[in-house]
Amino acid sequence: MQVSQPHVGREGEEAWWVNRRLARGEPSGEEATEGEELEDNTIKAVKISVTLPSKAKWGEGKEEPGKWEERLEVYRERKLRVSGVCREYGLGGFQEGGAGGSREYRDMLRRFPWPPEKSLMYEAKWHLLYCWIHKVASTSWSRVFLQLAGQQVPLSRSHEATQRFSPTSTVLPIAISTSLVFTIVRHPFERLVSAYRDKFQLARKSAYVYSHYSPKMGGQGRPSFRQFIDYLLEEPVEQYNDHWVPYWLHCHLCQMEYDVIGKMETLEEDMAFIGEKSGLASTNISLPWANRRRSGEQDSLLYWEQLDLDRTRRLYSVYRLDFLMFDYSALPYFQLWGQGAP
């Protein structure tokens, strides 16, 4: 499915943001306007209050001159970088490209079985369209979506939100054109270490991901990090679990245009911007960042010492477009074996 948004020049982009909000009404949590389709119209409006975890919230007190413009420039540059990689490799709506190795990634995209709506959560009343990525604040955003819909569930059931708020293919074009479309990413190799720790090293053996995937990794007992990586290198990418599938495939980044691409490294600023633009900043639901077991670069490198140069090169090839699209460097991982940037 090819879905995209009209291009807006730099001069009119800030006005476009404002008009986009006004064209569909203020995102105040009231009932959706006529013509918008809700998946479940039995949910009643609830009084919402949201407190974003930001030291300096947008819309509170005096704003720094040009603050919004600065953040818009950041998101503009991030979007341009993503579209540039899509064009270079001839992916999605950029079929004219053809960088070295582009056929490998075109084949990945062609074989990838998930439609865009499977990776998205849509809150029509608040005009939010979010591509969830496991191990990148997805649990916290799932809880926010559930709370906005007036539902309270245990933390262990937060994953149900990905199905509860998944838009239909019919609704998706409307959702894209009337919503704040966003996602959040982190360093691809750090995410893999986080997924391994959470799903294999520390998980209950009865948990679904552990019980389903650990037998495929061979050996006895809990799989090692090297066994996890060897499994990824042997498994076709289109069969990857959503905890480790590449971002660009999972979020259909060469087929959809995102308003905001957030990063874990700038999470405070990104959340403040999303809160202000969506209207969430004017309410006071708590936004709990549930996954606090974050492995930084140094922790990830400790795990990477179990690997070797060949595995690192091959794994980088799998996730190359994530590195390029989001401006992450794999240099520290290659330097473990005295190698320069790939």
Side-chain angles (χ1 to χ4, degrees):
M1 177 180 179
Q2 184 69 26
V3 284
S4 60
Q5 298 185 38
H7 174 72
V8 179
R10 280 184 70 149
E11 296 80 3
E13 184 157 354
E14 185 177 3
W16 173 75
W17 270 98
V18 175
N19 292 333
R20 179 170 157 130
R21 302 275 86 71
L22 295 177
R24 65 168 188 267
E26 289 300 321
S28 59
E30 297 297 326
E31 293 295 333
T33 56
E34 184 177 357
E36 291 181 349
E37 183 176 337
L38 295 179
E39 294 180 60
D40 183 354
N41 57 13
T42 63
I43 294 179
K44 298 181 180 179
V46 294
K47 193 69 176 179
I48 302 294
S49 58
V50 181
T51 302
L52 295 173
S54 173
K55 296 177 182 177
K57 300 173 191 170
W58 295 51
E60 226 180 66
K62 292 185 178 180
E63 297 169 1
E64 298 178 24
K67 185 74 171 182
W68 286 11
E69 291 83 351
E70 291 176 7
R71 293 314 297 172
L72 282 171
E73 181 63 24
V74 168
Y75 302 129
R76 182 186 297 114
E77 291 176 356
R78 289 178 181 177
K79 290 198 293 183
L80 287 174
R81 187 177 186 91
V82 168
S83 63
V85 174
C86 294
R87 181 178 292 106
E88 180 181 358
Y89 284 83
L91 299 168
F94 304 95
Q95 298 296 329
E96 71 279 6
S102 61
R103 173 171 291 184
E104 173 187 357
Y105 300 107
R106 288 180 181 179
D107 287 344
M108 279 187 191
L109 182 59
R110 177 177 54 83
R111 293 192 298 260
F112 191 63
W114 300 357
E117 57 268 20
K118 182 176 179 180
S119 304
L120 296 167
M121 292 168 55
Y122 177 43
E123 221 308 319
K125 298 177 184 178
W126 287 81
H127 309 286
L128 293 170
L129 187 64
Y130 164 55
C131 180
W132 49 269
I133 297 176
H134 288 314
K135 312 313 301 172
V136 195
S138 61
T139 298
S140 297
W141 272 107
S142 292
R143 288 174 64 82
V144 169
F145 271 64
L146 288 165
Q147 289 173 319
L148 290 175
Q151 297 185 349
Q152 297 287 340
V153 300
L155 181 62
S156 60
R157 292 176 53 197
S158 296
H159 64 278
E160 295 176 7
T162 60
Q163 295 182 346
R164 162 70 180 82
F165 294 97
S166 178
T168 64
S169 59
T170 303
V171 169
L172 185 56
I174 299 174
I176 291 173
S177 63
T178 62
S179 301
L180 176 65
V181 188
F182 69 101
T183 191
I184 306 167
V185 299
R186 68 188 296 187
H187 191 287
F189 285 175
E190 288 185 21
R191 177 205 183 202
L192 291 181
V193 170
S194 179
Y196 167 74
R197 285 171 50 83
D198 188 47
K199 298 304 175 183
F200 299 104
Q201 184 178 13
L202 303 174
R204 289 179 290 105
K205 293 185 177 181
S206 60
Y208 170 77
V209 172
Y210 185 97
S211 61
H212 184 76
Y213 289 97
S214 62
K216 300 180 181 183
M217 299 178 190
Q220 301 295 322
R222 291 184 180 272
S224 67
F225 184 65
R226 176 181 287 193
Q227 289 174 316
F228 171 61
I229 296 302
D230 285 344
Y231 161 75
L232 294 182
L233 294 174
E234 295 170 3
E235 187 80 353
V237 174
E238 63 267 21
Q239 296 181 26
Y240 275 17
N241 179 275
D242 51 29
H243 284 83
W244 45 81
V245 70
Y247 303 142
W248 72 276
L249 284 173
H250 179 74
C251 290
H252 297 81
L253 282 150
C254 292
Q255 298 160 284
M256 285 179 55
E257 182 177 350
Y258 284 76
D259 297 317
V260 175
I261 296 174
K263 301 177 75 170
M264 288 292 285
E265 296 78 12
T266 58
L267 193 60
E268 182 176 309
E269 296 91 338
D270 297 331
M271 294 303 96
F273 185 87
I274 292 171
E276 182 64 33
K277 287 299 181 180
S278 66
L280 292 178
S282 64
T283 61
N284 62 6
I285 279 181
S286 175
L287 185 58
W289 297 108
N291 290 338
R292 300 184 184 277
R293 290 196 313 239
R294 185 188 170 203
S295 296
E297 179 180 289
Q298 293 304 313
D299 289 339
S300 296
L301 289 172
L302 291 176
Y303 282 84
W304 230 260
E305 291 175 353
Q306 302 177 36
L307 307 181
D308 53 33
L309 180 58
D310 178 64
R311 286 182 172 87
T312 301
R313 281 176 172 162
R314 291 163 58 200
L315 197 66
Y316 178 81
S317 180
V318 173
Y319 293 94
R320 180 191 303 273
L321 298 195
D322 284 349
F323 278 94
L324 296 177
M325 285 183 179
F326 306 112
D327 197 22
Y328 286 112
S329 173
L331 179 60
Y333 297 84
F334 283 89
Q335 286 178 329
L336 289 173
W337 298 281
Q339 299 294 310

